[in-house]
Each structure stands twice: as C-alpha cells, then as structure tokens.
Amino acid sequence: MTKRPLDILDQVLNRQPVIVSLKGGREICGVLQGYDVHMNLVLDRAEEKEGETTRGIGTLIVRGDNVIYISPSREDTAKE
Amino acid sequence: MTKRPLDILDQVLNRQPVIVSLKGGREICGVLQGYDVHMNLVLDRAEEKEGETTRGIGTLIVRGDNVIYISPSREDTAKE
Amino acid sequence: MTKRPLDILDQVLNRQPVIVSLKGGREICGVLQGYDVHMNLVLDRAEEKEGETTRGIGTLIVRGDNVIYISPSREDTAKE
Amino acid sequence: MTKRPLDILDQVLNRQPVIVSLKGGREICGVLQGYDVHMNLVLDRAEEKEGETTRGIGTLIVRGDNVIYISPSREDTAKE
Amino acid sequence: MTKRPLDILDQVLNRQPVIVSLKGGREICGVLQGYDVHMNLVLDRAEEKEGETTRGIGTLIVRGDNVIYISPSREDTAKE
Amino acid sequence: MTKRPLDILDQVLNRQPVIVSLKGGREICGVLQGYDVHMNLVLDRAEEKEGETTRGIGTLIVRGDNVIYISPSREDTAKE
Amino acid sequence: MTKRPLDILDQVLNRQPVIVSLKGGREICGVLQGYDVHMNLVLDRAEEKEGETTRGIGTLIVRGDNVIYISPSREDTAKE
C-alpha cells in the first residue's frame, strides 16, 4: 500500500490546517485549498510564524520551490 | 471544491493590491495586472518595503523564481 | 547486480524507519509510505531532529529537492 | 484586461531607460534593446549602481536568472 | 579513447569503496551499488566524514544534485 | 528594431575583448570565440580579476549558469 | 570561425592537464578523459587545491553543475 506524495495532499484539502515549513526558517499554517504538481499551494486562513511572532495573512499562494515539507497532522510534542 | 494556485491569481487581477513576499526579505505591494505559468508577475502602482522604508516603483515585472508567496488579502494582525 | 536508487526505496516502504538528511542540517526519521521520481517522500510517524531536540511531527510530505540522502538502515556508530 | 509579463517589455523597447534589480543587490539602468523568454536582456547605455557608486557600462547582455524585477517606470519617491 | 562520465561509474560497481564529495563539506565513502542519470547513488557500507568524525551509515541513497565529485580511486597523498 | 540577447554575442565574436561578470564577484575579460544557448562561453586571451589582482588564464570555457552579464563594450567611467 | 564551448573540450582530451575551477573556491587539475553535455567531467591523475594544500585524488568524476570554468591552458602569470 504505497502512497504518492501528492495524493496525501488530496486527503487534507479543506480540512484541518496543515503546517508548511519553508526554506529560510519560516513556517506557515493554514487550510489547504489547492495545489499543483510543482507543490504550489493555496492556503486559507493562513498564519505565518517567525520565531515567537505569529501574524494572520488570510489567503496565500505559496510558490512550491520554497517548501521543505508539508505536515497534515503535526503532534508537535517536543522531547529532549 | 479545489482551487488551483494560479486560478486564485485570476480573481485578483486589477483589484485590491496584493502583497508579494520575495526571497531575500523584500516585500512588494501592488495591483496585479498579469502573470504567467512561471509566476512572473506584472504589478502596477507597486511599492517596495525593506524594513521600515517604503518606496514607490510604479509598474514592475517580477521574475517568478524570486517569489515566496503572494497574498491577495493579508490581514496583517500581529499576535505574540 | 546493479541497484537503481529509487528501487531501494521500494524495499523499505512501510518497514523500519528511514533517516532523511535534509539541506540546512535537519534530519527527519520516519516510516516511508511513498515517494515519486523527484524523491518527494511521504513519511509516517516522523520525528525531526535539530541538534539535541527531537519533536514528533506525525505524517509528512517532504519536497524532494531538500533531500541530501536517505538511509534505510543506519548503524550510527560514531568512531573518532 | 490582463497583461502578460513579457508583453510589457515590448512596450518599453528602445524607449526610456528601465531599472533592472539583480540578485546580490546590484541595480542596472539602461535602454532595453531586446529580451527573450528566459528574461535574458540587452541593455544599451547601461549604468550599474552598487551602493553610492554609478559606473557606465555601455551595452550589456544580462542573463535572465539574475533578474529580480524590471521596472519600466520607477518613480522612486522614498517615504518613511 | 573518450570515457563518458557515467560509464566510469559502471566500472566501480560493487568494487572497492568510492569517495563522494558533497556540497556543504561532507564526504561519504562506500561501495557503489547503483546510480542513475541524475547521479543519484546507492552506497553500501557507507561512512560519513565531517571534519575528524567518521560514522557508519550502512546503506544510503544520495540525491545526485548534492554531489561535487565521485572518486573511484583516491590516493589521498597530501603535499604542501 | 529588437535585438535578441544571443545575437549581440555574434557581433563581438573574435573582436575586442568582452567583460564577463560572474556570480561570486569574479570578473573575466577575454576575446569571445564561441558560445551556445546556455551562455556557455569560450574566451581567448582571458584575464581574471579578483579585487586588485589580475592573472592571465589563456583559453577558457565558462559554464553559462555562472554568468551575470556580458559587456561587449564597457566604458567603465566611474562617477560618484 | 566560431568555436562551440564543448568542442574545445574535444581538443584537450587525453592531453596536457586542464584546470577546473569549482563553485566554493576549489580548483582541480587533471587530464580530461571524457565529458558530456552537462559538463560532467572525467579527470585522470587529478589534484585538488584548496588554498596552499594540494592532494592527489587519482581518477575523478565531477558533476557539471559545480563547474565555473575549465582552462585548457592557463598561463597563470599574476600581475598586480
């Protein structure tokens, strides 16, 4: 049972927010409304995190070549 | 109801200004007059922000590979 | 007996966790659930390591151009 | 009324100087004499600015992948 | 008698370990088990060197765009 | 009267030296003997400048992706 | 009499050593035994220079995207 990377994105369209980690240390959280083969993304109700600051950005088109990973369901439980 | 990233751009052509975040920390705001598949953009009445300084640049052709994201409607409400 | 790089990935699908070394010094460990020709990866039960900190991230789609290497079976025995 | 990014360049061929912002902080000003689909540019009577210094460079072929943006008509009115 | 770069790799498949120099200063040594046109590599019994530290990594798939060079037979005799 | 960027190069083949500005701050001066669509260049009687130092390099094949611009006729008159 | 960049390489196959300047400041010297359209190179009796240190590396496959330039005949006469 293999999953194609882009098929996973289909499963989270218009669902719970996804976390998108971008090159350069930025992280954006939002509801995935669309994507294409380049991993260009449409995010709704997006929020951008840089260090401790979060700011709302509404709708967003992210150019795919900036993406490091997309996490549909991050638990975010820090262990040391 | 999936939205293709480039279709979103159609909806904001010649409307309210969009914010374009560029690699290297620059941000440009302007009215989107055109685009192509590479995310090359034409912006009118553009303004460039670097840190605290804003300067008007009139019309602008942005090469798509510099784009991080395009925000058609940024609320920009900083939370901490 | 030659092995094609992507064929190796087939052998570890849904098996023991793989270690993925990313550009910029990050390392992600998780069960490989899928991949494509660009080395885009789906990782399940993923954990991200940066220096001494590990955090769980659940499922993850990694964009292939960030990958340095994928290690299906790292012994990780440091010699000096 | 949509404008394609490269069509805009047609309108300024052999007209007033354009400003070309390059990756790495350089800026070149010159009369656009030609371009191609990669945004390779031919600039005539070009001048290069780095910080406070301007130097004349005559004719110039710029490789397109260095371009951040091209401004056919920059007002350059700094606000603070 | 011209040699195509990838043909050389055929000659060292499953032979003595090769040294792979990666962007960012890493060096990996291992037995080449496979490769493709992108220079994606499969290395077995791999060891990674960073400065003075060597660690075993077992089998490894290296994404080709990280490769600087591959040395099938390095003498490694430092002259000054 | 539009000029295609690569056509300009035809006009300076085997003529006066051109100046080639490379990514990373290097500058090479030489007689253009050939080029291809990638802007790979053949320069003869080439000289490399880094800061204040100039050294002769004879013939040179430059890989096109390093090129920022090519100047067939630089006046090089510094204004302040 | 135009010369295509890759044709020049044919003329130095299995002849005097060429100097290959790589991104990141490395320089490799060796006898060119082969190449392909990506400028992937096979170098024999190669030596790597970093600053003042030279070390022999035997045979080498260099991935083309690391190449800045190839010099079949460098005079290397430093002027100041």
Side-chain angles (χ1 to χ4, degrees):
Chain A
M1 192 202 67
T2 309
K3 296 179 185 170
R4 309 265 233 101
L6 295 180
D7 293 350
I8 302 286
L9 294 180
D10 263 337
Q11 302 174 12
V12 291
L13 279 172
N14 300 305
R15 306 279 288 264
Q16 83 281 14
V18 299
I19 292 169
V20 182
S21 175
L22 297 182
K23 287 166 191 169
R26 287 206 240 194
E27 211 172 79
I28 292 175
C29 178
V31 174
L32 187 69
Q33 288 200 324
Y35 66 89
D36 62 23
V37 290
H38 306 292
M39 279 209 200
N40 295 327
L41 307 174
V42 184
L43 295 172
D44 194 30
R45 276 168 283 156
E47 294 195 331
E48 181 175 351
K49 275 191 195 172
E50 265 194 292
E52 296 303 301
T53 316
T54 304
R55 58 174 189 173
I57 339 182
T59 303
L60 211 65
I61 293 122
V62 178
R63 202 174 191 264
D65 69 327
N66 298 287
V67 173
I68 299 178
Y69 63 71
I70 303 165
S71 174
S73 67
R74 192 157 82 179
E75 301 153 23
D76 221 334
T77 45
K79 313 179 203 173
E80 205 113 1
Chain B
M1 192 202 66
T2 308
K3 297 179 185 169
R4 309 264 233 102
L6 295 180
D7 293 350
I8 301 287
L9 294 180
D10 262 337
Q11 302 173 13
V12 291
L13 279 172
N14 301 304
R15 305 279 288 263
Q16 83 280 14
V18 299
I19 292 168
V20 181
S21 174
L22 298 182
K23 287 166 190 168
R26 287 206 240 194
E27 213 171 78
I28 292 176
C29 178
V31 174
L32 187 69
Q33 289 199 324
Y35 66 90
D36 62 23
V37 290
H38 306 292
M39 279 207 200
N40 295 327
L41 307 173
V42 183
L43 295 172
D44 194 30
R45 277 167 283 155
E47 294 194 331
E48 181 175 351
K49 275 191 195 173
E50 264 195 293
E52 295 303 302
T53 316
T54 304
R55 58 175 190 173
I57 338 181
T59 302
L60 210 65
I61 293 121
V62 178
R63 202 174 191 263
D65 69 329
N66 299 286
V67 173
I68 299 179
Y69 64 71
I70 303 165
S71 173
S73 67
R74 192 157 82 179
E75 301 153 23
D76 222 334
T77 46
K79 313 178 202 173
E80 205 114 2
Chain C
M1 191 203 66
T2 309
K3 296 179 185 168
R4 308 263 234 105
L6 295 180
D7 293 350
I8 302 287
L9 293 180
D10 263 337
Q11 303 174 12
V12 290
L13 279 173
N14 300 305
R15 305 280 288 263
Q16 84 280 15
V18 299
I19 292 169
V20 181
S21 175
L22 298 182
K23 288 167 190 167
R26 289 205 239 194
E27 212 173 78
I28 292 175
C29 178
V31 174
L32 188 68
Q33 288 201 324
Y35 65 90
D36 62 23
V37 289
H38 306 292
M39 280 208 200
N40 296 328
L41 307 174
V42 184
L43 296 171
D44 195 30
R45 277 168 281 156
E47 294 194 331
E48 181 175 351
K49 274 191 195 171
E50 265 194 293
E52 296 303 301
T53 316
T54 305
R55 57 175 190 173
I57 340 183
T59 303
L60 211 65
I61 294 122
V62 178
R63 201 174 191 264
D65 69 329
N66 299 287
V67 173
I68 299 178
Y69 64 70
I70 303 166
S71 174
S73 67
R74 193 158 81 179
E75 301 152 25
D76 221 335
T77 46
K79 313 177 202 174
E80 205 115 2
Chain D
M1 193 201 67
T2 308
K3 296 180 185 168
R4 309 264 233 104
L6 295 179
D7 293 351
I8 301 287
L9 294 179
D10 263 337
Q11 302 174 11
V12 290
L13 279 172
N14 301 305
R15 306 279 286 263
Q16 83 280 15
V18 299
I19 292 169
V20 181
S21 174
L22 297 182
K23 287 166 191 168
R26 288 205 239 195
E27 212 171 80
I28 292 175
C29 177
V31 174
L32 187 69
Q33 288 200 325
Y35 66 89
D36 62 22
V37 290
H38 306 292
M39 277 206 201
N40 295 327
L41 306 174
V42 184
L43 295 171
D44 193 30
R45 276 168 283 155
E47 295 195 329
E48 181 175 351
K49 274 191 196 172
E50 264 195 293
E52 295 303 301
T53 317
T54 304
R55 58 176 190 172
I57 339 182
T59 303
L60 210 65
I61 294 120
V62 179
R63 201 173 192 263
D65 69 328
N66 299 287
V67 173
I68 300 179
Y69 63 71
I70 303 165
S71 172
S73 67
R74 193 157 81 178
E75 302 153 22
D76 222 335
T77 45
K79 313 177 201 173
E80 205 115 359
Chain E
M1 190 203 67
T2 309
K3 297 179 185 170
R4 308 263 233 105
L6 295 180
D7 293 350
I8 302 286
L9 294 180
D10 263 338
Q11 302 174 11
V12 290
L13 278 172
N14 301 305
R15 306 280 288 265
Q16 83 281 15
V18 299
I19 292 169
V20 181
S21 175
L22 297 182
K23 288 167 189 167
R26 289 204 239 196
E27 212 172 79
I28 291 175
C29 178
V31 174
L32 187 69
Q33 289 201 324
Y35 66 88
D36 62 23
V37 290
H38 306 292
M39 279 207 200
N40 295 328
L41 307 174
V42 184
L43 296 171
D44 194 29
R45 277 168 282 155
E47 294 195 331
E48 181 174 352
K49 274 191 196 171
E50 266 195 290
E52 295 304 301
T53 316
T54 305
R55 57 174 191 174
I57 341 184
T59 304
L60 211 64
I61 294 122
V62 178
R63 200 174 193 263
D65 68 328
N66 298 286
V67 173
I68 298 178
Y69 64 69
I70 303 166
S71 173
S73 67
R74 193 158 79 178
E75 302 153 23
D76 222 336
T77 45
K79 314 176 200 175
E80 204 115 3
Chain F
M1 192 203 68
T2 308
K3 296 180 185 168
R4 309 263 234 104
L6 295 179
D7 293 351
I8 300 287
L9 294 179
D10 262 338
Q11 302 175 12
V12 291
L13 279 172
N14 301 305
R15 307 279 287 263
Q16 83 281 15
V18 299
I19 292 169
V20 182
S21 174
L22 297 182
K23 287 166 191 169
R26 288 204 240 196
E27 211 172 80
I28 292 174
C29 177
V31 174
L32 188 69
Q33 288 200 325
Y35 66 88
D36 62 22
V37 290
H38 306 292
M39 278 206 201
N40 295 327
L41 306 174
V42 184
L43 295 172
D44 194 30
R45 276 168 283 156
E47 295 195 329
E48 181 175 352
K49 274 191 195 172
E50 264 195 292
E52 296 304 301
T53 317
T54 305
R55 56 175 190 173
I57 339 183
T59 303
L60 209 66
I61 294 121
V62 178
R63 200 173 193 265
D65 69 328
N66 299 287
V67 174
I68 300 179
Y69 63 71
I70 303 165
S71 172
S73 67
R74 193 158 80 178
E75 302 153 23
D76 222 335
T77 45
K79 313 178 200 174
E80 206 111 3
Chain G
M1 191 203 68
T2 308
K3 296 179 184 169
R4 308 263 234 105
L6 295 179
D7 293 350
I8 301 286
L9 294 179
D10 262 338
Q11 301 175 13
V12 291
L13 279 172
N14 301 305
R15 307 280 287 264
Q16 84 281 15
V18 299
I19 292 169
V20 182
S21 175
L22 297 182
K23 287 167 191 169
R26 288 205 239 196
E27 212 172 78
I28 292 175
C29 177
V31 175
L32 188 69
Q33 290 201 324
Y35 66 88
D36 62 22
V37 290
H38 307 292
M39 279 207 200
N40 296 327
L41 307 173
V42 184
L43 296 171
D44 195 30
R45 276 167 283 156
E47 295 195 331
E48 181 175 352
K49 274 192 195 172
E50 265 195 292
E52 296 304 301
T53 317
T54 305
R55 58 174 190 174
I57 340 184
T59 303
L60 211 65
I61 294 122
V62 178
R63 199 173 193 264
D65 68 328
N66 299 286
V67 173
I68 299 179
Y69 63 70
I70 303 165
S71 173
S73 67
R74 194 158 80 178
E75 303 153 23
D76 222 336
T77 46
K79 314 178 201 174
E80 205 111 5

